[in-house]
Amino acid sequence: GESVGLHLPTLSVQEGDNSIINCAYSNSASDYFIWYKQESGKGPQFIIDIRSNMDKRQGQRVTVLLNKTVKHLSLQIAATQPGDSAVYFCAETGAAGNKLTFGGGTRVLVKP
Amino acid sequence: KAGVTQTPRYLIKTRGQQVTLSCSPISGHRSVSWYQQTPGQGLQFLFEYFSETQRNKGNFPGRFSGRQFSNSRSEMNVSTLELGDSALYLCASDSGQNTEAFFGQGTRLTVV
């Protein structure tokens, strides 16, 4: 089936630095993308989304970039804080209904 | 506004038994989706219900089933439990219009 970045790399970042998390997706029909943050023992928490008619969207300290040509999605976190330590997942959907296909996740560790 | 509520939070069952998990969506949300999360397979889509009808289904055996009630609350059932069914089961709700999905805390199922 479709896959979205099935590896779980770890990104170690110094507090205050910017973080960039990358995600590759394989379904060219995908038209809606979401980034989630999951802390230990909790469910995924919505961070930011983007539709395929956009290539950039900004939120509070976060920016999502979408490159449909190479089927790549990234999440940028500005001034990373200890509370940003978590596993981050990208997810996409394009089919009828709301079936989300998730990537494998990236663990972000923020060093004080 | 209350978030997505899943009950129970933790469950231990024996192989061969069946289990029912419950999910109460955010008020006003008509779509409820279920996901299985394991370290090996990541987050995988089980099924989605919208207005009491299953609208989308993932690639899981028939032992996994669900339903949705008129108040949008949903249950999922797993029959003849196997050790490999041990996982975090997550429920997400959204408006049903391909918008951001909000997750509950999950039910941690352990099959022994």
Side-chain angles (χ1 to χ4, degrees):
Chain A
E2 307 97 334
S3 66
V4 183
L6 290 176
H7 302 288
L8 184 60
T10 298
L11 175 67
S12 188
V13 61
Q14 200 69 39
E15 181 179 357
D17 287 352
N18 297 334
S19 303
I20 299 177
I21 306 164
N22 296 302
C23 177
Y25 65 95
S26 59
N27 187 358
S28 55
S30 298
D31 60 6
Y32 180 54
F33 304 85
I34 310 175
W35 279 100
Y36 286 95
K37 170 187 178 183
Q38 188 174 27
E39 297 173 281
S40 182
K42 298 184 178 180
Q45 175 188 356
F46 174 91
I47 300 174
I48 192 168
D49 59 359
I50 188 168
R51 296 201 178 272
S52 59
N53 60 350
M54 302 173 69
D55 53 23
K56 180 179 179 179
R57 191 159 188 234
Q58 288 184 290
Q60 186 176 10
R61 283 202 306 119
V62 294
T63 300
V64 55
L65 299 177
L66 175 63
N67 185 330
K68 294 180 288 295
T69 303
V70 295
K71 290 185 284 200
H72 184 267
L73 193 66
S74 69
L75 177 71
Q76 300 177 1
I77 305 173
T80 313
Q81 302 169 359
D84 295 328
S85 292
V87 177
Y88 289 80
F89 293 95
C90 62
E92 53 88 10
T93 184
N98 293 345
K99 171 186 174 181
L100 286 172
T101 300
F102 280 84
T106 296
R107 185 178 305 280
V108 172
L109 295 174
V110 181
K111 297 179 289 186
Chain B
K1 176 159 136 170
V4 178
T5 304
Q6 290 188 246
T7 56
R9 288 293 310 277
Y10 303 93
L11 209 47
I12 300 176
K13 289 286 188 179
T14 305
R15 263 186 309 175
Q17 287 187 311
Q18 73 161 14
V19 67
T20 299
L21 311 180
S22 180
C23 172
S24 293
I26 290 172
S27 178
H29 283 186
R30 295 168 64 191
S31 170
V32 174
S33 300
W34 289 90
Y35 295 82
Q36 181 195 65
Q37 186 174 28
T38 60
Q41 299 298 318
L43 275 151
Q44 293 188 295
F45 173 79
L46 279 155
F47 27 66
E48 184 223 357
Y49 286 87
F50 180 80
S51 293
E52 302 179 65
T53 301
Q54 188 180 85
R55 188 163 67 168
N56 222 326
K57 189 177 188 305
N59 297 321
F60 278 81
R63 299 185 298 106
F64 292 81
S65 62
R67 59 178 175 169
Q68 187 180 33
F69 302 95
S70 57
N71 62 358
S72 293
R73 190 177 71 84
S74 177
E75 289 181 346
M76 69 162 280
N77 185 77
V78 188
S79 62
T80 321
L81 283 165
E82 300 176 0
L83 295 179
D85 297 332
S86 294
L88 180 66
Y89 289 88
L90 292 158
C91 164
S93 81
D94 65 77
S95 66
Q97 305 300 320
N98 209 1
T99 56
E100 57 197 71
F102 295 90
F103 282 82
Q105 299 275 53
T107 294
R108 171 75 61 186
L109 171 66
T110 302
V111 182
V112 297

